[in-house]
Amino acid sequence: MPKLKIAPSLLSSDFSRLGEEIQAVIEAGADWIHLDIMDGHFAPNLTIGPPVVSALRRHSTVPMDVHLMLDNPEEFVDDFANAGADIITFHAEASRHPHRLLTRIRDLGCKAGVVLNPGTPPDDIEFLADSVDLVLIMTVNPGFGGQKFISGMLRKIELVRAMLGEERDLEVDGGIDQHTAPQVVAAGANVLVAGSYVFGSDSYLEAIESLRG
Ligand code: DX5
Ligand code: ZN
């Protein structure tokens, strides 16, 4: 399995101090910074766009993992790549031509991945599996931090790990804490997104280390 990586989600950080929050989690051992981009249509929330990602890029010495929860992701990948994204993932449910979009993201110099909502079966990406750098499995419904982990996703993680083989990253997002982290890792995940668990803790260092188990 690829190296275990922890990707704190800025959604639960202090938005008035984003640059400082990034530096604090990097000092605490974050491997990636996870950025949640929502348009109020695909996901019931509005967050940040390319200008904010661009401003934050200067504060990060680790990869910027941009999770697009947008309708028509085709219209936005160039802007996020230009803003400094290192990894761009988009939802299978939002893209009409996912293979074309994966190719576009890679042509822009980024790693490319597909995201699956809880209700989307893994079969939907079976024929894309050869074309992705990573897959992100939502373990809550997209939109908000602090939701409860959906345990039925453990079986999906196992199925997608079998599709991806042992070399590529399998990311999980939603409800990850010290109790659910060992379960998702046992099922085959190796990139753990955690928002409220990390940013809601008194010590980012202890929170990130506890996720590494
Ligand atoms: C939810 C976002 C997540 C969110 C996770 O739509 O994709 O990245 O920040 O938050 P927690 O870790 O609190 O479940
Ligand atoms: Zn996310």
Side-chain angles (χ1 to χ4, degrees):
M1 201 154 37
K3 180 178 169 269
L4 182 65
K5 296 187 254 300
I6 308 299
S9 160
L10 289 187
L11 191 60
S12 293
S13 71
D14 178 348
F15 267 45
S16 70
R17 300 170 39 251
L18 284 172
E20 289 164 48
E21 291 278 61
I22 287 178
Q23 273 157 9
V25 286
I26 291 174
E27 275 165 32
D31 298 283
W32 294 356
I33 298 295
H34 184 84
L35 295 156
D36 290 296
I37 315 297
M38 306 188 201
D39 64 354
H41 296 280
F42 181 81
N45 200 352
L46 280 167
T47 59
I48 60 170
V52 179
V53 174
S54 174
L56 295 179
R57 188 71 199 82
R58 293 189 286 279
H59 293 267
S60 181
T61 50
V62 303
M64 299 284 265
D65 172 31
V66 173
H67 173 192
L68 299 181
M69 285 162 274
L70 306 173
D71 284 336
N72 307 316
E74 293 79 5
E75 294 175 16
F76 297 98
V77 292
D78 287 50
D79 289 343
F80 283 102
N82 292 333
D86 298 280
I87 300 147
I88 298 180
T89 60
F90 63 89
H91 275 258
E93 305 85 7
S95 175
R96 225 173 254 176
H97 301 294
H99 183 273
R100 177 180 287 154
L101 188 52
L102 288 165
T103 306
R104 177 68 190 151
I105 293 169
R106 286 171 137 184
D107 286 347
L108 289 163
C110 302
K111 292 216 156 118
V114 176
V115 192
L116 299 176
N117 272 337
T120 304
D123 301 4
D124 281 21
I125 55 159
E126 187 181 352
F127 296 105
L128 292 174
D130 285 347
S131 309
V132 298
D133 294 305
L134 72 160
V135 171
L136 168 52
I137 295 180
M138 291 305 296
T139 41
V140 299
N141 289 292
F144 305 96
Q147 301 180 83
K148 191 175 177 299
F149 178 79
I150 302 170
S151 59
M153 296 302 105
L154 291 169
R155 177 75 187 130
K156 197 197 285 192
I157 295 167
E158 291 174 1
L159 294 168
V160 173
R161 173 50 76 195
M163 263 181 212
L164 287 179
E166 295 298 314
E167 302 289 319
R168 285 178 291 170
D169 288 322
L170 203 181
E171 185 173 22
V172 289
D173 186 2
I176 301 299
D177 60 19
Q178 80 275 34
H179 303 296
T180 53
Q183 299 174 37
V184 294
V185 170
N190 75 293
V191 183
L192 311 185
V193 176
S196 52
Y197 181 66
V198 170
F199 287 103
S201 72
D202 293 333
S203 163
Y204 297 169
L205 182 75
E206 280 172 28
I208 288 174
E209 286 188 352
S210 74
L211 292 174
R212 289 194 207 280

